[in-house]
């Protein structure tokens, strides 16, 4: 039985969602952020040097990093589902958007959040970061106008990697999605997935997913 260590309101929601989509049995250990620092609690730091979440245990294996966990679970326990193979026409788009989530979208949001707390509103570095974030969101908006899901016509793990930044991350960095109708329609489709709803209820019962 896989154990998922889930930190509330964090990227570890991806792993619960993946297991729900693939029907992988798991035990859930929920952890709460420190009320002052909003960082991981001591019990997570005791398990991983960085206090990382998500964190899974699978037998003797202890594995962190959400993208690594997603790939591991798909290969080890998911029969390769939710990841198109190299001969599939959506293989390259899948790879791009799967890695775009933690390579572009999430980092620029984190940078914008951090700089927004540290710099005055008229600082040029803050303005440049906001411009980068705007470009990233426009790129996402354009993609979701071309296809119903990030990789193409089919729901894949690229969606599981991307949705956190467009939803729960907005608790920390509010973003008005009014200018992005394709993103809003996409999030409504995601919200209709029973696996997503189940994962969010189990992992963050106090949170109403930000799907609009």
């Amino acid at each position: 039985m896989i154990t998922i260590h889930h930190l509330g309101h964090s990227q570890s929601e991806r792993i619960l969602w993946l297991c729900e989509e693939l029907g992988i049995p798991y035990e859930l250990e929920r952890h709460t952020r420190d009320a002052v620092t909003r960082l991981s609690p001591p019990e997570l730091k005791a398990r991983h040097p960085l206090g990382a979440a998500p964190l899974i245990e699978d037998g003797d294996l202890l594995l962190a990093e959400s993208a690594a966990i997603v790939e591991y679970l798909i290969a080890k326990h998911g029969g390769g589902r939710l990841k198109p193979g190299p001969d599939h026409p959506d293989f390259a788009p899948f790879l791009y958007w799967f890695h775009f989530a933690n390579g572009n979208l999430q980092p620029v949001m984190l940078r914008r959040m951090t700089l927004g707390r540290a710099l005055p509103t008229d600082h040029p570095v803050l303005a440049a970061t906001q411009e980068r974030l705007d470009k990233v969101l426009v790129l996402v908006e354009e993609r979701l106008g071309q296809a119903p899901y990030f990789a193409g016509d089919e729901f894949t793990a690229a969606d599981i990697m991307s949705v956190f930044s467009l939803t729960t991350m907005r608790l920390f960095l509010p973003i008005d999605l009014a200018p992005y109708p394709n993103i809003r329609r996409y999030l409504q489709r995601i919200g209709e997935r029973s696996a997503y709803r189940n994962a969010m209820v189990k992992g963050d019962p106090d949170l109403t997913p930000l799907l609009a």
Side-chain angles (χ1 to χ4, degrees):
M1 178 72 71
I2 293 166
T3 299
I4 302 174
H5 293 272
H6 170 62
L7 179 63
H9 303 174
S10 82
Q11 297 180 53
S12 54
E13 70 182 42
R14 294 166 169 164
I15 310 308
L16 277 69
W17 182 14
L18 177 68
C19 286
E20 293 287 336
E21 291 281 356
L22 294 176
I24 300 173
Y26 63 92
E27 293 182 353
L28 175 61
E29 288 200 20
R30 295 175 61 231
H31 302 273
T32 304
R33 293 177 180 273
D34 183 278
V36 176
T37 66
R38 304 295 294 153
L39 300 177
S40 297
E43 58 266 27
L44 258 180
K45 294 178 180 177
R47 292 181 176 274
H48 188 277
L50 299 179
L55 185 69
I56 67 165
E57 296 178 73
D58 187 12
D60 294 330
L61 174 71
L62 191 67
L63 185 63
E65 294 296 336
S66 61
I69 295 171
V70 168
E71 294 215 60
Y72 171 83
L73 290 176
I74 286 174
K76 185 81 172 181
H77 298 284
R81 289 173 291 160
L82 300 185
K83 179 180 181 180
D87 294 328
H88 195 287
D90 292 336
F91 179 61
F94 167 81
L95 290 177
Y96 178 80
W97 291 105
F98 182 90
H99 291 285
F100 184 90
N102 277 2
N104 273 288
L105 180 56
Q106 188 65 15
V108 74
M109 293 183 73
L110 286 169
R111 190 159 63 248
R112 174 61 181 83
M113 180 187 73
T114 302
L115 293 177
R117 295 174 178 177
L119 299 176
T121 56
D122 61 348
H123 197 286
V125 172
L126 184 60
T129 303
Q130 181 63 53
E131 181 181 2
R132 173 70 175 182
L133 175 56
D134 292 342
K135 289 180 179 179
V136 165
L137 290 172
V138 167
L139 189 60
V140 171
E141 171 72 6
E142 290 176 349
R143 176 55 181 168
L144 294 176
Q146 297 165 350
Y149 298 103
F150 275 94
D153 291 332
E154 300 176 8
F155 175 87
T156 69
D159 299 289
I160 289 175
M161 287 297 297
S162 300
V163 165
F164 167 79
S165 300
L166 299 173
T167 55
T168 306
M169 183 61 193
R170 288 162 50 217
L171 293 172
F172 306 94
L173 178 66
I175 294 175
D176 181 9
L177 293 182
Y180 307 106
N182 294 327
I183 293 177
R184 288 187 282 112
R185 283 191 289 268
Y186 167 78
L187 292 179
Q188 290 303 303
R189 288 195 294 276
I190 294 299
E192 294 170 357
R193 301 186 71 86
S194 59
Y196 176 77
R197 295 196 302 269
N198 292 341
M200 296 305 294
V201 167
K202 291 178 181 180
D204 293 287
D206 62 321
L207 175 65
T208 300
L210 300 178
L211 297 171

